[in-house]
Amino acid sequence: MENKKEKRGQFSSKLGFVLAASGSAVGLGNLWRFPFTAGANGGGAFVLVYFVILFIIGFTLMLGELSMGRATMLSPIGAYRKLKSKYAWIGVLGVAAGFLILSFYSVIGGWVIRYLVKAVSGDFNVTDGAVLGELFTDFIQNPLEPLVYHGIFMALTVLIVIGGVAKGIERYSKIMMPSLFVMLILLMIRSLTLPGAMEGVKFLLIPDFSKINAEVILAAMGQVFFSLSLGMGTMITYGSYLDKEQNLISSAMEIPLIDTIVALVAGLVILPAVFSFGFNPEGGPGLLFITLPAVFSQMPLGSIFAVIFFVLVLFAALTSSISILEVVVSYAVDERGWSRKFSTVTLAAVIFVMGIPSSLGQGLWSHVRFFGRDILDNVDFLASNVFLPLGGLLMCLFIGWVWGVDKAIDEVTNHGKLSFPLKGFWTVMIKYVAPVGILFVFAQATGLLELILGAK
Ligand code: TRP
């Protein structure tokens, strides 16, 4: 009960909010997941579908989540409950997705820390792709070492979340996010000027339509949700920390725009280098870790750049992981009345344990495979391709048909003070186009669509 009286944290400025929300969106999803997922799903075909889905759900769902958060000033479960109590379970689904996502996110965050340590100790003077590949597999197959780094990453996340919203999150974002961007541009220039780099650019940007299939479409949808931090209520939570004067409409455009630019630039760092060094674009989750050291080895002052870069990647990963933990923690604080510190430490410990199988699945337990995927890929698939889109679908239906679009519009226009020229567009998108689109992708991926249409 006591905690309810604690003053709810708030962002101190519009810039602070957009940076923090972009900090949540921009992370391993852009730098690590986007390049390898594009690589594994046909390159340009994937990117094209990604853009179509981004257009349909990016702004629509971002604004939806922000409006629910600020209207209620509560975390997801509380927000649904306050607006219509029997729908609180939709929020529960989001919190569950948060547990799953952070569990493997932190494992990858740990890999980043390991590579930062390697960069600091100057281990990157290798140009031979095969050797870089081996270094990577040796590391992730080791049972213990990655778990130690997974623990370190989780501990860092905990430390920031305990610091609270404005102090903990906002302060750091202002310097680190722009620095990351500058660094990525430098790397992109280096990558694009490597011999044979244009093959990678073509691979990423020119769609081969014959590669578009149900699997690619589902992967692209999952990537949009993952990258924009949508579908589990992260943006509901962030919206709840926002004061009533801020402009949600422009934020809901800026955040997806920033996120998309970063993902594309990251793609233009990794894939040209992949082709130039003769790596396999379908190399999977190791792509970033194998390719980047090769790029640094081809740069003047590469070993210094490597250190700076991995610091920034780590930072970007942390600004995302804190937003995931924040959802889970604010649920415990708002709904259970636990203290912030206790919730943070306890829940992080649970999530750390949940991440252990994903880490061990790289080596010791690599024989444990379902649907042709290792443990980490399965957890990722379930969370990103199933839970997040499902959460997004339910939110659209909730806003469109239960809470009411007019109430959401009243909130995002600050009760009529702001003009919202896209009002009609947004209404149609959230009531019809986005939910039907998500259902369509699900139906196609499960083979249901073909069944319905009578094809075989
Ligand atoms: N979007 C982040 C990234 O790209 C990860 C992330 C943060 C996330 N919060 C989320 C993903 C909520 C899904 C849901 O790295």
Side-chain angles (χ1 to χ4, degrees):
M1 246 1 239
E2 278 240 289
N3 291 295
K4 300 231 159 133
K5 287 191 214 119
E6 262 174 38
K7 192 178 176 307
R8 204 169 172 78
Q10 269 188 3
F11 292 103
S12 58
S13 66
K14 161 96 196 264
L15 179 69
F17 170 72
V18 171
L19 278 176
S22 311
S24 165
V26 174
L28 297 175
N30 311 59
L31 307 169
W32 161 76
R33 201 175 186 281
F34 179 81
F36 90 77
T37 310
N41 286 283
F46 173 88
V47 175
L48 177 73
V49 179
Y50 182 88
F51 270 98
V52 173
I53 296 175
L54 179 72
F55 176 77
I56 296 174
I57 67 180
F59 170 70
T60 307
L61 270 70
M62 185 65 72
L63 191 58
E65 287 206 14
L66 291 177
S67 71
M68 280 185 66
R70 206 187 49 182
T72 58
M73 291 287 172
L74 290 168
S75 56
I77 300 179
Y80 279 104
R81 174 168 309 125
K82 183 165 176 185
L83 297 173
K84 193 88 188 175
S85 58
K86 68 171 190 252
Y87 291 95
W89 58 272
I90 305 178
V92 178
L93 192 77
V95 172
F99 275 92
L100 290 177
I101 291 178
L102 190 52
S103 76
F104 73 84
Y105 203 87
S106 171
V107 171
I108 310 296
W111 295 1
V112 172
I113 301 179
R114 177 68 189 104
Y115 268 65
L116 171 60
V117 173
K118 271 184 201 276
V120 170
S121 52
D123 282 359
F124 285 153
N125 286 323
V126 202
T127 25
D128 185 344
V131 176
L132 285 169
E134 257 168 51
L135 283 176
F136 176 73
T137 14
D138 281 352
F139 163 60
I140 59 165
Q141 287 181 351
N142 181 309
L144 206 61
E145 215 192 342
L147 286 181
V148 172
Y149 286 100
H150 166 42
I152 297 175
F153 185 85
M154 197 58 101
L156 290 173
T157 306
V158 166
L159 286 179
I160 305 174
V161 171
I162 286 182
V165 182
K167 263 191 296 162
I169 305 176
E170 196 177 334
R171 191 173 56 199
Y172 304 95
S173 299
K174 286 184 182 157
I175 343 154
M176 301 293 262
M177 294 280 298
S179 320
L180 174 68
F181 192 66
V182 172
M183 195 68 200
L184 279 172
I185 298 287
L186 288 179
L187 280 172
M188 181 179 74
I189 294 171
R190 172 65 277 203
S191 243
L192 290 176
T193 49
L194 288 168
M198 280 310 130
E199 280 313 303
V201 178
K202 281 188 210 149
F203 174 79
L204 192 66
L205 298 183
I206 301 180
D208 172 353
F209 291 95
S210 70
K211 291 205 174 131
I212 300 179
N213 58 32
E215 209 181 314
V216 169
I217 297 173
L218 183 67
M221 179 165 82
Q223 178 61 28
V224 172
F225 274 94
F226 190 96
S227 193
L228 293 176
S229 308
L230 289 175
M232 60 164 268
T234 306
M235 294 298 166
I236 296 182
T237 307
Y238 271 40
S240 77
Y241 294 127
L242 209 46
D243 74 56
K244 294 283 183 191
E245 298 306 310
Q246 307 259 352
N247 188 336
L248 300 184
I249 303 166
S250 60
S251 303
M253 294 181 193
E254 286 154 14
I255 301 161
L257 186 72
I258 295 171
D259 186 76
T260 305
I261 294 173
V262 175
L264 275 182
V265 174
L268 288 172
V269 172
I270 305 287
L271 286 155
V274 163
F275 279 81
S276 175
F277 292 105
F279 298 143
N280 177 5
E282 300 186 12
L287 208 58
L288 171 91
F289 298 94
I290 295 169
T291 311
L292 273 175
V295 177
F296 288 122
S297 75
Q298 301 298 312
M299 282 173 96
L301 302 179
S303 48
I304 295 172
F305 277 126
V307 175
I308 302 174
F309 184 72
F310 278 109
V311 168
L312 294 171
V313 175
L314 174 61
F315 183 82
L318 284 169
T319 56
S320 301
S321 64
I322 55 179
S323 76
I324 310 174
L325 188 56
E326 182 68 29
V327 172
V328 179
V329 166
S330 57
Y331 156 71
V333 173
D334 288 350
E335 298 290 308
R336 294 264 163 266
W338 295 8
S339 85
R340 192 172 175 88
K341 230 185 213 142
F342 177 75
S343 329
T344 311
V345 173
T346 314
L347 297 171
V350 171
I351 296 170
F352 170 78
V353 173
M354 285 173 60
I356 294 175
S358 288
S359 183
L360 292 181
Q362 307 301 313
L364 206 58
W365 291 357
S366 57
H367 56 282
V368 185
R369 297 178 76 86
F370 310 94
F371 314 108
R373 291 185 288 264
D374 66 22
I375 301 174
L376 190 151
D377 287 349
N378 273 299
V379 179
D380 183 355
F381 185 93
L382 179 68
S384 314
N385 295 3
V386 182
F387 275 39
L388 295 181
L390 191 61
L393 168 67
L394 293 169
M395 186 194 68
C396 290
L397 297 176
F398 180 81
I399 293 180
W401 304 94
V402 179
W403 181 34
V405 182
D406 43 340
K407 298 218 186 66
I409 290 177
D410 187 52
E411 179 64 38
V412 304
T413 56
N414 300 351
H415 311 292
K417 278 195 242 102
L418 300 174
S419 77
F420 185 12
L422 291 175
K423 190 155 70 182
F425 170 78
W426 189 68
T427 305
V428 173
M429 295 305 274
I430 202 148
K431 283 183 91 158
Y432 307 100
V433 182
V436 170
I438 297 169
L439 273 175
F440 174 83
V441 178
F442 276 149
Q444 212 183 18
T446 51
L448 211 62
L449 194 69
E450 276 146 54
L451 219 66
I452 296 168
L453 296 177
K456 71 172 217 37

